[in-house]
Amino acid sequence: MSSLKRSKNLLFTIIASVVLLLAIIATPLPIPGTTLAITLSLTSLIITSPRAKKLIIKIRARIKFINKALVFIENKLQNKMPKVYSTINSTNPLNII
């Protein structure tokens, strides 16, 4: 991988991580779009970082309420955003086994 591509990948991963953190913090507030921000930042992390994908799989396997929330999001996105659906669905521990 070239250094330019690696640095772009790192920058994209950092931005997606920051957006995810801010969206999680803003979830209890009445700010519209936090679920969409969480979904898109998770999708970006899964696409750009194999480590992040493995971590999300482990978290989903261990923490049931996070897995339930992501399954709920997957079901809502199945017809509306198929690429995002398939990316997030690829981290579902039930699909991997």
Side-chain angles (χ1 to χ4, degrees):
M1 189 183 321
S2 70
S3 63
L4 180 62
K5 188 173 181 180
R6 196 174 310 141
S7 60
K8 281 184 180 180
N9 197 9
L10 179 63
L11 180 65
F12 200 65
T13 303
I14 291 170
I15 291 171
S17 300
V18 169
V19 169
L20 178 63
L21 182 65
L22 291 174
I24 289 172
I25 291 170
T27 299
L29 303 174
I31 299 173
T34 55
T35 306
L36 183 62
I38 290 171
T39 305
L40 295 178
S41 60
L42 271 178
T43 303
S44 300
L45 282 173
I46 292 166
I47 290 171
T48 59
S49 173
R51 267 190 200 162
K53 183 176 181 176
K54 289 177 186 176
L55 180 64
I56 292 169
I57 291 168
K58 287 180 183 177
I59 289 172
R60 286 184 75 165
R62 290 182 184 154
I63 305 172
K64 298 301 177 195
F65 77 91
I66 291 177
N67 189 37
K68 285 182 182 179
L70 289 175
V71 167
F72 175 78
I73 291 171
E74 287 171 9
N75 291 336
K76 292 290 183 183
L77 294 177
Q78 192 167 6
N79 296 326
K80 296 177 185 173
M81 298 175 151
K83 177 65 177 165
V84 174
Y85 163 76
S86 64
T87 304
I88 292 179
N89 193 34
S90 70
T91 63
N92 193 336
L94 299 177
N95 295 342
I96 295 171
I97 296 174

